[in-house]
Amino acid sequence: QVQLVESGGGLVQTGGSMDVSCAASGRTFNTYDMAWFRQAPGKGRDFVAAIERRSSSTYYGDSARGRFTISEDNAKKTVYLQMNNLKPEDTAVYYCAARTSDGAYHPISVASEYGNWGQGTRVTVSS
């Protein structure tokens, strides 16, 4: 198990930028696929971005592609989500998620594939 703690949410104006972070516990950070999901009020949890160890690739949901960037600092065991050109529809609670990378294929964008979740950090984009 890995514990995840998000930080960095808040209020930002439309068109602005915001970074959120996720600090992970444990010694095997680089064996976990790391992802960001978000959940807007009254809606389901949507995939935002992920880092997959098996393919050494990053993936983005449609709403994030071209505006958001996922990155990590292995020494700090932290994954980041840089969000640019934010829109009111980006308003949501952003959750960090992790799953053990076992070398097999597992859908990267499916929330139920992840067994470890942070508490979430709220991002509000004002119009």
Side-chain angles (χ1 to χ4, degrees), residues 25-58:
S25 66
R27 297 176 293 177
T28 57
F29 176 74
N30 60 1
T31 65
Y32 286 90
D33 294 336
M34 301 297 297
W36 288 97
F37 287 79
R38 69 185 186 185
Q39 189 165 14
K43 297 188 177 181
R45 197 163 291 192
D46 292 332
F47 173 69
V48 177
I51 297 172
E52 187 185 49
R53 304 303 178 194
R54 183 183 65 93
S55 62
S56 299
S57 298
T58 56

PDB file of all heavy atoms in Angstrom, residues 25-58:
ATOM      1  N   SER A  25       4.036   7.975  -0.049  1.00  0.00           N
ATOM      2  CA  SER A  25       4.865   7.353   0.974  1.00  0.00           C
ATOM      3  C   SER A  25       5.453   6.058   0.417  1.00  0.00           C
ATOM      4  O   SER A  25       5.125   5.621  -0.684  1.00  0.00           O
ATOM      5  CB  SER A  25       4.023   7.042   2.210  1.00  0.00           C
ATOM      6  OG  SER A  25       3.056   6.054   1.888  1.00  0.00           O
ATOM      7  N   GLY A  26       6.313   5.417   1.188  1.00  0.00           N
ATOM      8  CA  GLY A  26       6.854   4.134   0.777  1.00  0.00           C
ATOM      9  C   GLY A  26       8.148   4.250  -0.007  1.00  0.00           C
ATOM     10  O   GLY A  26       8.539   5.334  -0.438  1.00  0.00           O
ATOM     11  N   ARG A  27       8.792   3.119  -0.216  1.00  0.00           N
ATOM     12  CA  ARG A  27      10.109   3.100  -0.835  1.00  0.00           C
ATOM     13  C   ARG A  27      10.097   2.693  -2.294  1.00  0.00           C
ATOM     14  O   ARG A  27      11.133   2.709  -2.940  1.00  0.00           O
ATOM     15  CB  ARG A  27      11.010   2.125  -0.058  1.00  0.00           C
ATOM     16  CG  ARG A  27      11.264   2.532   1.377  1.00  0.00           C
ATOM     17  CD  ARG A  27      12.078   1.469   2.101  1.00  0.00           C
ATOM     18  NE  ARG A  27      11.307   0.238   2.265  1.00  0.00           N
ATOM     19  CZ  ARG A  27      11.813  -0.858   2.810  1.00  0.00           C
ATOM     20  NH1 ARG A  27      13.064  -0.911   3.176  1.00  0.00           N
ATOM     21  NH2 ARG A  27      11.051  -1.921   2.941  1.00  0.00           N
ATOM     22  N   THR A  28       8.936   2.337  -2.820  1.00  0.00           N
ATOM     23  CA  THR A  28       8.895   1.789  -4.175  1.00  0.00           C
ATOM     24  C   THR A  28       8.058   2.666  -5.095  1.00  0.00           C
ATOM     25  O   THR A  28       7.285   2.166  -5.909  1.00  0.00           O
ATOM     26  CB  THR A  28       8.318   0.363  -4.146  1.00  0.00           C
ATOM     27  OG1 THR A  28       7.019   0.404  -3.539  1.00  0.00           O
ATOM     28  CG2 THR A  28       9.235  -0.560  -3.384  1.00  0.00           C
ATOM     29  N   PHE A  29       8.234   3.948  -4.986  1.00  0.00           N
ATOM     30  CA  PHE A  29       7.450   4.903  -5.773  1.00  0.00           C
ATOM     31  C   PHE A  29       7.512   4.585  -7.248  1.00  0.00           C
ATOM     32  O   PHE A  29       6.495   4.654  -7.949  1.00  0.00           O
ATOM     33  CB  PHE A  29       7.974   6.311  -5.495  1.00  0.00           C
ATOM     34  CG  PHE A  29       7.324   7.381  -6.321  1.00  0.00           C
ATOM     35  CD1 PHE A  29       6.032   7.799  -6.048  1.00  0.00           C
ATOM     36  CD2 PHE A  29       8.015   7.986  -7.361  1.00  0.00           C
ATOM     37  CE1 PHE A  29       5.430   8.788  -6.796  1.00  0.00           C
ATOM     38  CE2 PHE A  29       7.425   8.992  -8.114  1.00  0.00           C
ATOM     39  CZ  PHE A  29       6.129   9.389  -7.832  1.00  0.00           C
ATOM     40  N   ASN A  30       8.691   4.235  -7.758  1.00  0.00           N
ATOM     41  CA  ASN A  30       8.827   4.069  -9.207  1.00  0.00           C
ATOM     42  C   ASN A  30       8.303   2.730  -9.714  1.00  0.00           C
ATOM     43  O   ASN A  30       8.496   2.378 -10.875  1.00  0.00           O
ATOM     44  CB  ASN A  30      10.282   4.273  -9.634  1.00  0.00           C
ATOM     45  CG  ASN A  30      11.217   3.284  -8.979  1.00  0.00           C
ATOM     46  OD1 ASN A  30      10.786   2.437  -8.216  1.00  0.00           O
ATOM     47  ND2 ASN A  30      12.499   3.395  -9.276  1.00  0.00           N
ATOM     48  N   THR A  31       7.641   1.970  -8.845  1.00  0.00           N
ATOM     49  CA  THR A  31       6.979   0.741  -9.297  1.00  0.00           C
ATOM     50  C   THR A  31       5.467   0.925  -9.384  1.00  0.00           C
ATOM     51  O   THR A  31       4.737  -0.022  -9.681  1.00  0.00           O
ATOM     52  CB  THR A  31       7.274  -0.442  -8.365  1.00  0.00           C
ATOM     53  OG1 THR A  31       6.706  -0.184  -7.087  1.00  0.00           O
ATOM     54  CG2 THR A  31       8.771  -0.664  -8.240  1.00  0.00           C
ATOM     55  N   TYR A  32       5.011   2.149  -9.128  1.00  0.00           N
ATOM     56  CA  TYR A  32       3.582   2.447  -9.176  1.00  0.00           C
ATOM     57  C   TYR A  32       3.252   3.275 -10.417  1.00  0.00           C
ATOM     58  O   TYR A  32       3.948   4.238 -10.733  1.00  0.00           O
ATOM     59  CB  TYR A  32       3.150   3.237  -7.947  1.00  0.00           C
ATOM     60  CG  TYR A  32       3.063   2.414  -6.681  1.00  0.00           C
ATOM     61  CD1 TYR A  32       4.159   2.271  -5.854  1.00  0.00           C
ATOM     62  CD2 TYR A  32       1.871   1.789  -6.326  1.00  0.00           C
ATOM     63  CE1 TYR A  32       4.075   1.526  -4.685  1.00  0.00           C
ATOM     64  CE2 TYR A  32       1.772   1.041  -5.165  1.00  0.00           C
ATOM     65  CZ  TYR A  32       2.883   0.911  -4.352  1.00  0.00           C
ATOM     66  OH  TYR A  32       2.792   0.165  -3.213  1.00  0.00           O
ATOM     67  N   ASP A  33       2.185   2.900 -11.084  1.00  0.00           N
ATOM     68  CA  ASP A  33       1.587   3.807 -12.053  1.00  0.00           C
ATOM     69  C   ASP A  33       0.906   4.903 -11.246  1.00  0.00           C
ATOM     70  O   ASP A  33       0.216   4.626 -10.263  1.00  0.00           O
ATOM     71  CB  ASP A  33       0.545   3.102 -12.913  1.00  0.00           C
ATOM     72  CG  ASP A  33       1.141   2.027 -13.807  1.00  0.00           C
ATOM     73  OD1 ASP A  33       2.346   2.105 -14.118  1.00  0.00           O
ATOM     74  OD2 ASP A  33       0.394   1.107 -14.195  1.00  0.00           O
ATOM     75  N   MET A  34       1.091   6.151 -11.683  1.00  0.00           N
ATOM     76  CA  MET A  34       0.523   7.284 -10.972  1.00  0.00           C
ATOM     77  C   MET A  34      -0.459   8.020 -11.879  1.00  0.00           C
ATOM     78  O   MET A  34      -0.162   8.213 -13.068  1.00  0.00           O
ATOM     79  CB  MET A  34       1.637   8.241 -10.538  1.00  0.00           C
ATOM     80  CG  MET A  34       2.677   7.610  -9.631  1.00  0.00           C
ATOM     81  SD  MET A  34       2.014   7.035  -8.062  1.00  0.00           S
ATOM     82  CE  MET A  34       1.457   8.576  -7.339  1.00  0.00           C
ATOM     83  N   ALA A  35      -1.569   8.436 -11.324  1.00  0.00           N
ATOM     84  CA  ALA A  35      -2.595   9.066 -12.148  1.00  0.00           C
ATOM     85  C   ALA A  35      -3.299  10.186 -11.390  1.00  0.00           C
ATOM     86  O   ALA A  35      -3.269  10.243 -10.157  1.00  0.00           O
ATOM     87  CB  ALA A  35      -3.621   8.028 -12.590  1.00  0.00           C
ATOM     88  N   TRP A  36      -3.908  11.062 -12.158  1.00  0.00           N
ATOM     89  CA  TRP A  36      -4.816  12.085 -11.642  1.00  0.00           C
ATOM     90  C   TRP A  36      -6.201  11.834 -12.229  1.00  0.00           C
ATOM     91  O   TRP A  36      -6.343  11.624 -13.440  1.00  0.00           O
ATOM     92  CB  TRP A  36      -4.344  13.474 -12.023  1.00  0.00           C
ATOM     93  CG  TRP A  36      -3.136  13.945 -11.288  1.00  0.00           C
ATOM     94  CD1 TRP A  36      -1.831  13.900 -11.704  1.00  0.00           C
ATOM     95  CD2 TRP A  36      -3.112  14.557  -9.992  1.00  0.00           C
ATOM     96  NE1 TRP A  36      -1.010  14.429 -10.741  1.00  0.00           N
ATOM     97  CE2 TRP A  36      -1.766  14.844  -9.681  1.00  0.00           C
ATOM     98  CE3 TRP A  36      -4.101  14.894  -9.058  1.00  0.00           C
ATOM     99  CZ2 TRP A  36      -1.382  15.442  -8.482  1.00  0.00           C
ATOM    100  CZ3 TRP A  36      -3.712  15.483  -7.876  1.00  0.00           C
ATOM    101  CH2 TRP A  36      -2.372  15.757  -7.586  1.00  0.00           C
ATOM    102  N   PHE A  37      -7.184  11.884 -11.356  1.00  0.00           N
ATOM    103  CA  PHE A  37      -8.586  11.873 -11.744  1.00  0.00           C
ATOM    104  C   PHE A  37      -9.229  13.123 -11.156  1.00  0.00           C
ATOM    105  O   PHE A  37      -8.656  13.763 -10.255  1.00  0.00           O
ATOM    106  CB  PHE A  37      -9.288  10.627 -11.203  1.00  0.00           C
ATOM    107  CG  PHE A  37      -8.916   9.353 -11.904  1.00  0.00           C
ATOM    108  CD1 PHE A  37      -7.712   8.712 -11.608  1.00  0.00           C
ATOM    109  CD2 PHE A  37      -9.742   8.777 -12.846  1.00  0.00           C
ATOM    110  CE1 PHE A  37      -7.347   7.528 -12.253  1.00  0.00           C
ATOM    111  CE2 PHE A  37      -9.395   7.598 -13.496  1.00  0.00           C
ATOM    112  CZ  PHE A  37      -8.200   6.985 -13.191  1.00  0.00           C
ATOM    113  N   ARG A  38     -10.411  13.449 -11.634  1.00  0.00           N
ATOM    114  CA  ARG A  38     -11.132  14.569 -11.044  1.00  0.00           C
ATOM    115  C   ARG A  38     -12.616  14.238 -10.988  1.00  0.00           C
ATOM    116  O   ARG A  38     -13.122  13.448 -11.782  1.00  0.00           O
ATOM    117  CB  ARG A  38     -10.886  15.856 -11.826  1.00  0.00           C
ATOM    118  CG  ARG A  38     -11.506  15.893 -13.213  1.00  0.00           C
ATOM    119  CD  ARG A  38     -11.086  17.164 -13.930  1.00  0.00           C
ATOM    120  NE  ARG A  38     -11.766  17.309 -15.223  1.00  0.00           N
ATOM    121  CZ  ARG A  38     -11.512  18.277 -16.085  1.00  0.00           C
ATOM    122  NH1 ARG A  38     -10.578  19.201 -15.820  1.00  0.00           N
ATOM    123  NH2 ARG A  38     -12.177  18.349 -17.215  1.00  0.00           N
ATOM    124  N   GLN A  39     -13.263  14.888 -10.050  1.00  0.00           N
ATOM    125  CA  GLN A  39     -14.694  14.676  -9.872  1.00  0.00           C
ATOM    126  C   GLN A  39     -15.372  16.015  -9.641  1.00  0.00           C
ATOM    127  O   GLN A  39     -15.108  16.681  -8.638  1.00  0.00           O
ATOM    128  CB  GLN A  39     -14.971  13.727  -8.709  1.00  0.00           C
ATOM    129  CG  GLN A  39     -16.416  13.298  -8.589  1.00  0.00           C
ATOM    130  CD  GLN A  39     -16.595  12.100  -7.687  1.00  0.00           C
ATOM    131  OE1 GLN A  39     -15.691  11.713  -6.941  1.00  0.00           O
ATOM    132  NE2 GLN A  39     -17.744  11.455  -7.768  1.00  0.00           N
ATOM    133  N   ALA A  40     -16.200  16.399 -10.591  1.00  0.00           N
ATOM    134  CA  ALA A  40     -16.976  17.623 -10.474  1.00  0.00           C
ATOM    135  C   ALA A  40     -18.239  17.343  -9.669  1.00  0.00           C
ATOM    136  O   ALA A  40     -18.684  16.190  -9.573  1.00  0.00           O
ATOM    137  CB  ALA A  40     -17.327  18.146 -11.861  1.00  0.00           C
ATOM    138  N   PRO A  41     -18.837  18.375  -9.099  1.00  0.00           N
ATOM    139  CA  PRO A  41     -20.061  18.178  -8.302  1.00  0.00           C
ATOM    140  C   PRO A  41     -21.140  17.461  -9.091  1.00  0.00           C
ATOM    141  O   PRO A  41     -21.477  17.848 -10.206  1.00  0.00           O
ATOM    142  CB  PRO A  41     -20.474  19.611  -7.953  1.00  0.00           C
ATOM    143  CG  PRO A  41     -19.203  20.385  -7.982  1.00  0.00           C
ATOM    144  CD  PRO A  41     -18.389  19.780  -9.083  1.00  0.00           C
ATOM    145  N   GLY A  42     -21.666  16.389  -8.521  1.00  0.00           N
ATOM    146  CA  GLY A  42     -22.751  15.653  -9.148  1.00  0.00           C
ATOM    147  C   GLY A  42     -22.356  14.762 -10.299  1.00  0.00           C
ATOM    148  O   GLY A  42     -23.221  14.209 -10.984  1.00  0.00           O
ATOM    149  N   LYS A  43     -21.055  14.601 -10.521  1.00  0.00           N
ATOM    150  CA  LYS A  43     -20.583  13.803 -11.651  1.00  0.00           C
ATOM    151  C   LYS A  43     -19.664  12.687 -11.181  1.00  0.00           C
ATOM    152  O   LYS A  43     -19.252  12.634 -10.034  1.00  0.00           O
ATOM    153  CB  LYS A  43     -19.873  14.698 -12.663  1.00  0.00           C
ATOM    154  CG  LYS A  43     -20.777  15.753 -13.291  1.00  0.00           C
ATOM    155  CD  LYS A  43     -20.088  16.474 -14.418  1.00  0.00           C
ATOM    156  CE  LYS A  43     -21.034  17.466 -15.088  1.00  0.00           C
ATOM    157  NZ  LYS A  43     -20.378  18.175 -16.222  1.00  0.00           N
ATOM    158  N   GLY A  44     -19.329  11.809 -12.097  1.00  0.00           N
ATOM    159  CA  GLY A  44     -18.436  10.706 -11.792  1.00  0.00           C
ATOM    160  C   GLY A  44     -16.979  11.131 -11.794  1.00  0.00           C
ATOM    161  O   GLY A  44     -16.645  12.279 -12.077  1.00  0.00           O
ATOM    162  N   ARG A  45     -16.111  10.182 -11.479  1.00  0.00           N
ATOM    163  CA  ARG A  45     -14.685  10.462 -11.415  1.00  0.00           C
ATOM    164  C   ARG A  45     -14.083  10.257 -12.807  1.00  0.00           C
ATOM    165  O   ARG A  45     -14.127   9.151 -13.360  1.00  0.00           O
ATOM    166  CB  ARG A  45     -14.023   9.544 -10.386  1.00  0.00           C
ATOM    167  CG  ARG A  45     -12.670   9.988  -9.949  1.00  0.00           C
ATOM    168  CD  ARG A  45     -12.254   9.315  -8.662  1.00  0.00           C
ATOM    169  NE  ARG A  45     -13.039   9.773  -7.520  1.00  0.00           N
ATOM    170  CZ  ARG A  45     -12.733   9.509  -6.254  1.00  0.00           C
ATOM    171  NH1 ARG A  45     -11.656   8.786  -5.975  1.00  0.00           N
ATOM    172  NH2 ARG A  45     -13.498   9.944  -5.276  1.00  0.00           N
ATOM    173  N   ASP A  46     -13.499  11.312 -13.351  1.00  0.00           N
ATOM    174  CA  ASP A  46     -12.975  11.287 -14.721  1.00  0.00           C
ATOM    175  C   ASP A  46     -11.450  11.250 -14.746  1.00  0.00           C
ATOM    176  O   ASP A  46     -10.789  11.905 -13.938  1.00  0.00           O
ATOM    177  CB  ASP A  46     -13.436  12.533 -15.484  1.00  0.00           C
ATOM    178  CG  ASP A  46     -14.929  12.543 -15.739  1.00  0.00           C
ATOM    179  OD1 ASP A  46     -15.532  11.450 -15.837  1.00  0.00           O
ATOM    180  OD2 ASP A  46     -15.497  13.641 -15.845  1.00  0.00           O
ATOM    181  N   PHE A  47     -10.938  10.529 -15.717  1.00  0.00           N
ATOM    182  CA  PHE A  47      -9.494  10.422 -15.900  1.00  0.00           C
ATOM    183  C   PHE A  47      -8.921  11.732 -16.422  1.00  0.00           C
ATOM    184  O   PHE A  47      -9.470  12.339 -17.348  1.00  0.00           O
ATOM    185  CB  PHE A  47      -9.187   9.301 -16.879  1.00  0.00           C
ATOM    186  CG  PHE A  47      -7.751   9.196 -17.278  1.00  0.00           C
ATOM    187  CD1 PHE A  47      -6.790   8.783 -16.369  1.00  0.00           C
ATOM    188  CD2 PHE A  47      -7.347   9.521 -18.564  1.00  0.00           C
ATOM    189  CE1 PHE A  47      -5.464   8.685 -16.739  1.00  0.00           C
ATOM    190  CE2 PHE A  47      -6.029   9.430 -18.941  1.00  0.00           C
ATOM    191  CZ  PHE A  47      -5.081   9.011 -18.025  1.00  0.00           C
ATOM    192  N   VAL A  48      -7.801  12.145 -15.833  1.00  0.00           N
ATOM    193  CA  VAL A  48      -7.133  13.374 -16.273  1.00  0.00           C
ATOM    194  C   VAL A  48      -5.792  13.056 -16.945  1.00  0.00           C
ATOM    195  O   VAL A  48      -5.547  13.440 -18.083  1.00  0.00           O
ATOM    196  CB  VAL A  48      -6.909  14.329 -15.090  1.00  0.00           C
ATOM    197  CG1 VAL A  48      -6.156  15.575 -15.544  1.00  0.00           C
ATOM    198  CG2 VAL A  48      -8.246  14.708 -14.455  1.00  0.00           C
ATOM    199  N   ALA A  49      -4.923  12.354 -16.215  1.00  0.00           N
ATOM    200  CA  ALA A  49      -3.590  12.084 -16.745  1.00  0.00           C
ATOM    201  C   ALA A  49      -2.943  10.958 -15.943  1.00  0.00           C
ATOM    202  O   ALA A  49      -3.349  10.694 -14.805  1.00  0.00           O
ATOM    203  CB  ALA A  49      -2.713  13.328 -16.684  1.00  0.00           C
ATOM    204  N   ALA A  50      -1.952  10.310 -16.541  1.00  0.00           N
ATOM    205  CA  ALA A  50      -1.281   9.222 -15.844  1.00  0.00           C
ATOM    206  C   ALA A  50       0.129   9.011 -16.370  1.00  0.00           C
ATOM    207  O   ALA A  50       0.443   9.374 -17.519  1.00  0.00           O
ATOM    208  CB  ALA A  50      -2.066   7.922 -15.987  1.00  0.00           C
ATOM    209  N   ILE A  51       0.938   8.438 -15.518  1.00  0.00           N
ATOM    210  CA  ILE A  51       2.274   7.963 -15.880  1.00  0.00           C
ATOM    211  C   ILE A  51       2.252   6.449 -15.723  1.00  0.00           C
ATOM    212  O   ILE A  51       1.974   5.936 -14.633  1.00  0.00           O
ATOM    213  CB  ILE A  51       3.359   8.566 -14.968  1.00  0.00           C
ATOM    214  CG1 ILE A  51       3.405  10.086 -15.136  1.00  0.00           C
ATOM    215  CG2 ILE A  51       4.712   7.947 -15.282  1.00  0.00           C
ATOM    216  CD1 ILE A  51       4.315  10.786 -14.138  1.00  0.00           C
ATOM    217  N   GLU A  52       2.530   5.739 -16.815  1.00  0.00           N
ATOM    218  CA  GLU A  52       2.512   4.283 -16.791  1.00  0.00           C
ATOM    219  C   GLU A  52       3.938   3.748 -16.859  1.00  0.00           C
ATOM    220  O   GLU A  52       4.700   4.092 -17.767  1.00  0.00           O
ATOM    221  CB  GLU A  52       1.702   3.731 -17.964  1.00  0.00           C
ATOM    222  CG  GLU A  52       1.515   2.210 -17.903  1.00  0.00           C
ATOM    223  CD  GLU A  52       0.823   1.672 -19.134  1.00  0.00           C
ATOM    224  OE1 GLU A  52       1.248   2.015 -20.247  1.00  0.00           O
ATOM    225  OE2 GLU A  52      -0.143   0.891 -18.960  1.00  0.00           O
ATOM    226  N   ARG A  53       4.319   2.910 -15.888  1.00  0.00           N
ATOM    227  CA  ARG A  53       5.687   2.368 -15.828  1.00  0.00           C
ATOM    228  C   ARG A  53       5.938   1.361 -16.942  1.00  0.00           C
ATOM    229  O   ARG A  53       7.027   1.351 -17.537  1.00  0.00           O
ATOM    230  CB  ARG A  53       5.925   1.693 -14.477  1.00  0.00           C
ATOM    231  CG  ARG A  53       5.692   2.576 -13.271  1.00  0.00           C
ATOM    232  CD  ARG A  53       6.524   3.834 -13.292  1.00  0.00           C
ATOM    233  NE  ARG A  53       6.232   4.664 -12.130  1.00  0.00           N
ATOM    234  CZ  ARG A  53       6.600   5.916 -12.008  1.00  0.00           C
ATOM    235  NH1 ARG A  53       7.278   6.501 -12.989  1.00  0.00           N
ATOM    236  NH2 ARG A  53       6.298   6.597 -10.913  1.00  0.00           N
ATOM    237  N   ARG A  54       4.960   0.508 -17.255  1.00  0.00           N
ATOM    238  CA  ARG A  54       5.145  -0.573 -18.223  1.00  0.00           C
ATOM    239  C   ARG A  54       5.577  -0.022 -19.572  1.00  0.00           C
ATOM    240  O   ARG A  54       6.454  -0.572 -20.222  1.00  0.00           O
ATOM    241  CB  ARG A  54       3.846  -1.353 -18.357  1.00  0.00           C
ATOM    242  CG  ARG A  54       3.901  -2.564 -19.282  1.00  0.00           C
ATOM    243  CD  ARG A  54       2.518  -3.202 -19.389  1.00  0.00           C
ATOM    244  NE  ARG A  54       1.574  -2.316 -20.015  1.00  0.00           N
ATOM    245  CZ  ARG A  54       1.318  -2.311 -21.322  1.00  0.00           C
ATOM    246  NH1 ARG A  54       1.953  -3.144 -22.127  1.00  0.00           N
ATOM    247  NH2 ARG A  54       0.433  -1.465 -21.827  1.00  0.00           N
ATOM    248  N   SER A  55       4.966   1.083 -19.973  1.00  0.00           N
ATOM    249  CA  SER A  55       5.255   1.669 -21.279  1.00  0.00           C
ATOM    250  C   SER A  55       6.166   2.889 -21.195  1.00  0.00           C
ATOM    251  O   SER A  55       6.566   3.440 -22.215  1.00  0.00           O
ATOM    252  CB  SER A  55       3.951   2.085 -21.966  1.00  0.00           C
ATOM    253  OG  SER A  55       3.288   3.070 -21.193  1.00  0.00           O
ATOM    254  N   SER A  56       6.467   3.305 -19.947  1.00  0.00           N
ATOM    255  CA  SER A  56       7.256   4.533 -19.733  1.00  0.00           C
ATOM    256  C   SER A  56       6.633   5.709 -20.475  1.00  0.00           C
ATOM    257  O   SER A  56       7.335   6.517 -21.098  1.00  0.00           O
ATOM    258  CB  SER A  56       8.701   4.325 -20.201  1.00  0.00           C
ATOM    259  OG  SER A  56       9.310   3.285 -19.474  1.00  0.00           O
ATOM    260  N   SER A  57       5.323   5.778 -20.426  1.00  0.00           N
ATOM    261  CA  SER A  57       4.608   6.810 -21.166  1.00  0.00           C
ATOM    262  C   SER A  57       3.669   7.584 -20.252  1.00  0.00           C
ATOM    263  O   SER A  57       3.314   7.136 -19.166  1.00  0.00           O
ATOM    264  CB  SER A  57       3.785   6.177 -22.292  1.00  0.00           C
ATOM    265  OG  SER A  57       4.614   5.519 -23.221  1.00  0.00           O
ATOM    266  N   THR A  58       3.284   8.762 -20.758  1.00  0.00           N
ATOM    267  CA  THR A  58       2.244   9.551 -20.103  1.00  0.00           C
ATOM    268  C   THR A  58       0.993   9.543 -20.973  1.00  0.00           C
ATOM    269  O   THR A  58       1.080   9.449 -22.201  1.00  0.00           O
ATOM    270  CB  THR A  58       2.696  10.996 -19.868  1.00  0.00           C
ATOM    271  OG1 THR A  58       3.091  11.577 -21.123  1.00  0.00           O
ATOM    272  CG2 THR A  58       3.890  11.046 -18.911  1.00  0.00           C
TER     273      THR A  58
END
